[in-house]
Amino acid sequence: MGKLSKEERPKFGQLVNKKKQELEKAYSSKEDELKSEELNEQIKKEKLDLSLPGPKRLHGARHPIDRVINEISDIMKGIGYSVRLGPLIEKDRNNFEALNIPADHPSRDEQDTFYIDETHVLRTQTSPIQIRTMENEKPPLRIIAPGSVFRCDNDISHSPNFYQIECLMVDKKVSMADLKGTISYFVQRFFAKGLKTRFRPSYFPFTEPSAEVDCQCPICKGKGCGMCKQSGWIEIGGSGLVNPIVFEHAGLDPKKWQGFAFGFGVERMAIVKYGISDIRLFNENDIRFLSQFN
């Protein structure tokens, strides 16, 4: 173009651009043609085998802890109880003081755990839900309180984060007979018909009188096995009549109202029901373990 005159350069430039566009169009068309030929050849070589099985659809399942909570809740709902929930970070007052566990009480040594600040703690039990319910609802009351709790435990039978479910009944003229009848009914519905229960005197700050609850081993039906350590009995939880001091903290007149409460560790109930050997299996999320509960 440098040798051309000023008049010829524009015409020559237009001609070059035109040829460039024609070549680019030809190249693009040829590329599409080659890709189409390649695809056709690939389709001829690759055939869909309709006899092969289709991809498997994976089905999820409820975690055994969730299954046990739902089962216990359904049993108790059938006799008039309803579910109440509460916060995981709880006031020290609701978690200890209102449950007749003052700051200098010896039982705090077993439960003191993860403090958020001077007045709040990760709850060590679901009992604060009972306090909240009694303060905000008028009796008579029949509630169940499931949820996650936190304590400084970690071994084959304990975990720093585990689940509890507690039951509370508040009414007039409530006695130990009502408590024993309710727990016996629950045990036979949850484990198996005909299983016996027994109550051993014990101590809890928030109940008076108090009792540990045992049931015949569901695995061996009381004959003795590895699960019950050959005793035929398994401890499943604690129980008792609500301490009048707890009623006073919740703003209820203990001369007018009585009640009972009992609670179980959910993992403990699952271990007994399904014959699980190690509580840590619940938190490992091993598909081989969890798939057994489909």
Side-chain angles (χ1 to χ4, degrees), residues 63-66 148-151 153-163 266-267 270-271 276 278-287 289-290 293:
H63 193 279
I65 296 299
D66 196 36
S148 183
V149 299
F150 306 86
R151 295 185 190 178
D153 291 321
N154 188 26
D155 55 41
I156 192 171
S157 59
H158 297 87
S159 171
N161 176 209
F162 58 100
Y163 290 81
V266 176
E267 284 88 345
I271 284 172
I276 298 167
D278 191 333
I279 193 173
R280 291 170 291 191
L281 291 169
F282 292 119
N283 296 323
E284 292 179 351
N285 284 329
D286 190 325
I287 296 297
F289 171 72
L290 297 177
F293 301 92

Side-chain angles (χ1 to χ4, degrees), residues 67-68 70-81 180-197 215-216 218 221 236 262 264 269 273-274:
R67 289 172 64 94
V68 169
N70 288 341
E71 186 173 354
I72 294 175
S73 299
D74 288 342
I75 292 171
M76 299 308 296
K77 285 177 183 178
I79 53 175
Y81 287 74
K180 294 176 70 175
T182 302
I183 293 179
S184 296
Y185 168 81
F186 165 76
V187 165
Q188 294 196 36
R189 283 292 308 275
F190 184 76
F191 289 119
K193 289 183 178 181
L195 283 186
K196 295 180 180 179
T197 55
C215 76
Q216 280 185 315
K221 302 298 186 293
I236 57 174
F262 62 91
F264 308 115
M269 300 299 280
K273 187 177 181 70
Y274 299 118

